[in-house]
Amino acid sequence: MSQSVCILGVTGSIGQSTLKILQQHPEKYSVFAVTAHSRILELVEICKQYRPKIVVVPANKVAELQQQFQKQDLNHIEILIGEAGLIAVAEHPDVDVVMAAIVGAAGLLPTLAAVKAGKRVLLANKEALVMSGDLMMQAALDYNAQLLPVDSEHNAIFQCLPDGYFQAERNGQPKQGVSRILLTASGGPFLNHSLEQLQNVTPAQACKHPNWSMGQKISVDSATLMNKGLELIEACHLFAISEQFVTVVVHPQSIIHSMVQYVDGSTLAQMGNPDMCTPIAHALAWPERIQTHVPALDLFMNHQLDFQEPDTTRFPALKLARQAMQSGGLAPAILNAANEVAVAAFLNQAIAFTEIPQVVEQTLNQVENSAAESIELILQADRVARSIAQQIVINNGS
Ligand code: NDP
Ligand code: MG
């Protein structure tokens, strides 16, 4: 029987890579629902090719979409609207697999809805897990959801962990012979820039990643190393491991996608060409394997593997994220919200690249932390942190 797939964020980089895999395996998967936010023409093209039953767009895009559907004879496709629509498709009874590929906090409620509906959830939207950590993981257990990591590092770690690791106790200690997780980082486009050079980098330069082609927000996060900070928090939650057991390793070639070390001295690594289609295909088909177009690694071509420690003086975002994880409670949600505001401000050229971590740090200092007891509290912290970060951006600019 073919699996019915819902892609949250289909017009994005991960959404497109997901379609590529589904297209290669039409007998295994069908596209049931897709969602978009601003790229309506791209969405219409996707609808022409994949014929989903339902699409979701924000209220201000409905008229444009209806017009396009009329023109293209796609009126049979149901249109749902806004956050309620995103949640409805994520938990829809006819959906087996949800690809959570909306960027940022906007993906939290739909991703959580998919988890609570007991779906197989392919998690790309790391911000959702960073914000809601324990609640999301507990919901996955309570509702029997399969929360599978798509982020390449976490997918690599997942592949290197022993079978059954997820059924084990979630107490922050590594178990089943695991001693440490090595989370690899490419270091981004400015790995060798001085602090002075970093002050003047442009959004276009920040979005040009050396190894990966990704959406704008995660590209900037990769350049500040906040992406690695978010991933550190993501790893702690996914693998129920305290942050002191996760070491970040800069590996500029992005051939090793992360590693797991064991008490007997073994280090297992997952390697491959840097293409998100591999982790997406892995999470989709797990525990089976399916074909992708990604060529196998040619070790005679890619023979250089370098490793170094991250420099948290030039890239303080990583340190801030680690501290937020240590503080716990709402701190990761506050960090994430402030970072989203700061990255948007940098992309709009309202602040300098080096001000991104400053905005995050100042926001963390100004918003009170408390236990992340409910989604409402988390969303409230998100709102408060956004408005304070926005104010800091405005003050910095004046
Ligand atoms: P993109 O910016 O390319 O795509 C984001 C998607 O989310 C688009 O479909 C966009 O719609 C939609 N979207 C944006 N804002 C909203 C909103 N407010 N409400 C609903 N939908 C919205 O991002 P990526 O595909 O690069 O990344 C998606 C997620 O996956 C991120 O969390 C990222 O960190 C994670 N990830 C990405 C990787 C990559 O290689 N790209 C690797 C690992 C993780 P539209 O385009 O129509 O505006
Ligand atoms: Mg990653």
Side-chain angles (χ1 to χ4, degrees):
M1 258 264 296
S2 107
Q3 299 250 299
S4 159
V5 182
C6 163
I7 307 176
L8 305 171
V10 76
T11 40
S13 160
I14 293 287
Q16 296 288 332
S17 295
T18 307
L19 287 176
K20 241 194 216 172
I21 305 285
L22 300 185
Q23 188 186 22
Q24 234 181 308
H25 300 279
E27 72 301 341
K28 283 194 160 70
Y29 307 103
S30 61
V31 181
F32 179 81
V34 294
T35 86
H37 191 64
S38 64
R39 288 180 266 193
I40 299 305
L41 293 180
E42 284 86 340
L43 175 66
V44 172
E45 286 308 309
I46 291 166
C47 289
K48 272 162 58 182
Q49 192 178 347
Y50 292 90
R51 306 273 156 177
K53 300 263 188 304
I54 309 178
V55 302
V56 185
V57 291
N60 64 354
K61 297 290 179 192
V62 172
E64 184 186 346
L65 184 63
Q66 277 171 337
Q67 225 175 24
Q68 288 294 331
F69 275 5
Q70 197 88 43
K71 255 204 232 160
Q72 307 286 349
D73 207 13
L74 293 170
N75 278 325
H76 53 279
I77 300 180
E78 186 181 355
I79 301 175
L80 298 181
I81 304 170
E83 188 161 78
L86 295 174
I87 292 172
V89 289
E91 63 188 20
H92 198 288
D94 292 350
V95 166
D96 303 305
V97 181
V98 175
M99 165 52 84
I102 290 174
V103 61
L108 173 58
L109 291 180
T111 304
L112 192 59
V115 167
K116 289 191 170 178
K119 308 292 186 198
R120 170 174 291 216
V121 181
L122 316 185
L123 185 73
N125 180 205
K126 64 192 86 183
E127 296 91 346
L129 186 60
V130 165
M131 292 173 75
S132 66
D134 293 337
L135 286 181
M136 178 87 73
M137 295 311 297
Q138 191 57 47
L141 283 175
D142 292 347
Y143 295 91
N144 229 349
Q146 287 179 320
L147 190 59
L148 299 176
V150 165
D151 211 347
S152 56
E153 296 76 3
H154 305 74
N155 185 268
I157 295 162
F158 181 66
Q159 294 196 44
C160 295
L161 284 170
D163 280 350
Y165 194 83
F166 292 86
Q167 277 79 50
E169 209 186 339
R170 300 185 59 84
N171 59 4
Q173 295 296 316
K175 43 205 161 268
Q176 292 183 237
V178 171
S179 59
R180 176 162 295 279
I181 283 174
L182 303 181
L183 184 68
T184 56
S186 70
F190 309 136
L191 177 59
N192 297 314
H193 276 43
S194 68
L195 254 182
E196 226 169 26
Q197 287 174 306
L198 285 177
Q199 259 147 26
N200 299 314
V201 300
T202 64
Q205 289 167 329
C207 289
K208 214 165 167 288
H209 195 278
N211 307 334
W212 301 91
S213 155
M214 310 182 287
Q216 283 196 325
K217 194 261 178 184
I218 182 175
S219 296
V220 176
D221 284 349
S222 298
T224 59
L225 285 203
M226 182 57 92
N227 183 49
K228 216 43 57 180
L230 298 175
E231 291 186 358
L232 168 75
I233 300 173
E234 184 185 11
C236 293
H237 289 300
L238 279 172
F239 308 119
I241 194 163
S242 303
E243 54 77 30
Q244 77 256 33
F245 300 111
V246 184
T247 302
V248 173
V249 180
V250 174
H251 164 47
Q253 291 88 3
S254 300
I255 294 295
I256 292 180
H257 299 304
S258 276
M259 296 169 256
V260 174
Q261 293 190 319
Y262 287 81
V263 291
D264 62 2
S266 299
T267 299
L268 299 195
Q270 188 263 353
M271 305 200 279
N273 285 307
D275 187 321
M276 288 307 294
C277 285
T278 298
I280 292 169
H282 176 266
L284 249 181
W286 180 84
E288 288 170 27
R289 297 271 179 175
I290 53 173
Q291 188 94 34
T292 73
H293 65 279
V294 184
L297 204 55
D298 182 348
L299 285 172
F300 298 115
M301 293 287 287
N302 309 302
H303 55 282
Q304 182 97 22
L305 300 178
D306 295 314
F307 306 99
Q308 54 184 273
E309 264 189 78
D311 176 352
T312 52
T313 310
R314 284 180 301 134
F315 302 103
L318 179 56
K319 194 168 55 188
L320 292 173
R322 196 179 275 280
Q323 285 164 354
M325 188 64 208
Q326 284 163 349
S327 308
L330 297 170
I334 297 165
L335 169 105
N336 177 68
N339 181 58
E340 287 193 32
V341 169
V343 169
F346 168 69
L347 287 170
N348 290 326
Q349 295 180 306
I351 61 171
F353 181 77
T354 42
E355 287 177 287
I356 297 172
Q358 293 169 10
V359 171
V360 174
E361 184 166 22
Q362 289 168 25
T363 308
L364 278 163
N365 290 338
Q366 288 184 39
V367 182
E368 203 183 331
N369 189 12
S370 64
E373 276 165 357
S374 66
I375 285 297
E376 291 68 34
L377 277 174
I378 291 167
L379 291 174
Q380 194 192 335
D382 176 79
R383 279 193 297 273
V384 172
R386 269 168 209 275
S387 90
I388 288 183
Q390 203 61 63
Q391 202 52 54
I392 295 168
V393 165
I394 291 166
N395 293 347
N396 283 16
S398 56

